Amino acid sequence: MIKAHLAARRDDALQPLSLRFRVRGLEKEYRREILAVETRRWRLTCVIGAAMYAIFYLLDRQLMPDLLWLCLTIRFALVCPALLLSLGLSFTDIGSKKRVIIFLANGALASLGIIAMIALAGPPADHLYYGGLLLCVLFYYLLLPGWLVPNLIAWATFVVYELVIFFYLDLSREILIGSSFIFFFFNLSGMFGCYLLNRMERRAFLQQRTIKSQAQVLEKALVVAEDERRLAESLAQTDPLTGVANRRSFFPEAEREWMRHRRKGRSLSLLMLDIDHFKEFNDLYGHRVGDQVLVLVAQVLRQQVRETDTVCRYGGEEFAVLLPETTSEEALVLARRILATVAETVFLHHGNPLGVTASLGAATAAVAEMASVDELLERADQALYTAKKSGRNQLRSWERERAVIYDPTGELCLKVPECLT
């Protein structure tokens, strides 16, 4: 882990002079990332440079009225058109490919134009153009991309300026040395400042890249955690064998439907189903076959009910079916269909067909008839108990003070008073 971390730090390290990333792919990624920012700086430099070159023409009129046409030629026939042409090229593919050459050409032209003004103006007017030259160099450091190109233009400007003032202008020694030292240390400060700014930009890119990478990892981890949470929640609310709801999820759902039943005054029905002689079936054929029976019965229930209904494995071989907005007659129709389908379901065990039957109890809560959902569960369970006690493979429905027995075919067999104990 430590070796990998150190390797990553070596790979991301910057080359000390050029400030380029040691990893070629990382340098390309940085160039793509910074391209839009550098292009905006380029355009801003062209606009500001052309504007200032044009404005300083007012200074030419005061200081060099005799050379006004030469100043107009330098400013408006050479430098300003070149800057505006560079601005136009920034919107083309040629500008993107030849940007460094364009920067060097514009910088050289702008610097030579001001140095020519210094040479033409002579003392003492040349001091004002000297300030303009320093301002131009400052723009190189602040606005041109990278740090090698601005330094190359700035130091080339310094060398040309020194040659002009030493061999062309007749300046005193104090002014000559003073202006040279000011320009030299100005360039030196700009060089280190530009270096540090560029280094900070590249370090900021690394930090943003790391943050983005960590955010992506965190996002993936959150997605996985959310999937695992949903899976755990589903497993906690679902019977793993049959895939239907378990008791843990059934009771909250029953309470919600009960509150809706009380609020809207609509019927709420409940079916309780128990597989007949399941223990004997398990003992005879084994638990694997018993599990198969549970799965088949659960499939029958899910196929027969609506999406709004809730099928639950209530316990062992017992199932509950919650039927919102279902009257007693509708619940009985569904119950008969379920019993008939279960009785018709056949599966093979070692080549022998096997089948099961079930007993079913039904109860319906009409408006203001029952006090709670627990009472509805109790009445349906009592109806189921009576169906099993009466011979199994039967349907028993609880209706007010009376238990009504139906056979699997749906024919009414008998009405008896409440006596379920």
Side-chain angles (χ1 to χ4, degrees), residues 103-118:
F103 292 156
L104 292 174
N106 282 342
L109 195 58
S111 297
L112 289 174
I114 299 179
I115 292 174
M117 301 289 185
I118 294 174

Side-chain angles (χ1 to χ4, degrees), residues 109-279:
L109 195 58
S111 297
L112 289 174
I114 299 179
I115 292 174
M117 301 289 185
I118 294 174
L120 293 172
D126 59 332
H127 299 314
L128 295 175
Y129 290 102
Y130 175 75
L133 183 62
L134 293 181
L135 184 61
C136 186
V137 171
L138 180 62
F139 283 164
Y140 297 155
Y141 283 122
L142 291 179
L143 297 178
L144 288 182
W147 89 281
L148 288 178
V149 172
N151 274 281
L152 184 60
I153 299 175
W155 286 106
T157 301
F158 171 75
V159 171
V160 174
Y161 171 77
E162 291 298 313
L163 292 175
V164 169
I165 64 173
F166 269 98
F167 296 105
Y168 186 80
L169 294 179
D170 185 16
L171 299 175
S172 65
R173 181 179 298 177
E174 292 82 3
I175 294 177
L176 189 67
I177 295 175
S179 63
S180 298
F181 268 95
I182 290 174
F183 203 155
F184 176 80
F185 285 106
F186 185 85
N187 262 12
L188 198 64
S189 300
M191 180 180 69
F192 284 110
C194 184
Y195 181 89
L196 293 175
L197 284 174
N198 196 252
R199 189 170 182 269
M200 288 173 58
E201 285 181 351
R202 289 176 174 265
R203 292 293 182 185
F205 163 74
L206 280 181
Q207 290 180 348
Q208 292 176 359
R209 184 174 180 269
T210 303
I211 292 172
K212 186 183 297 184
S213 176
Q214 292 176 345
Q216 291 174 349
V217 172
L218 180 60
E219 184 178 359
K220 291 180 180 178
L222 290 175
V223 170
V224 172
E226 179 64 17
D227 291 341
E228 291 179 349
R229 185 194 67 79
R230 290 178 179 176
L231 178 60
E233 183 177 344
S234 176
L235 292 175
Q237 297 180 353
T238 305
D239 177 60
L241 176 62
T242 61
V244 299
N246 57 17
R247 290 172 64 98
R248 179 178 179 178
S249 62
F250 176 76
F251 285 109
E253 181 65 22
E255 286 291 346
R256 284 191 292 269
E257 291 297 339
W258 177 262
M259 296 302 297
R260 196 157 69 95
H261 151 72
R262 299 288 292 185
R263 186 173 61 254
K264 295 185 176 181
R266 297 176 181 175
S267 298
L268 177 64
S269 295
L270 179 68
L271 305 180
M272 299 289 288
L273 180 145
D274 187 272
I275 301 173
D276 295 334
H277 306 293
F278 185 75
K279 184 178 182 306

Side-chain angles (χ1 to χ4, degrees), residues 9 23-24 58 85 118 165 212-213 221 251-252 289 304 331 347 349 373 406 413:
R9 290 188 60 183
V23 180
R24 183 176 299 179
L58 300 176
L85 176 62
I118 294 174
I165 64 173
K212 186 183 297 184
S213 176
F251 285 109
V289 178
Q304 297 297 326
F347 62 97
H349 175 62
V373 70
Y406 296 86
C413 294

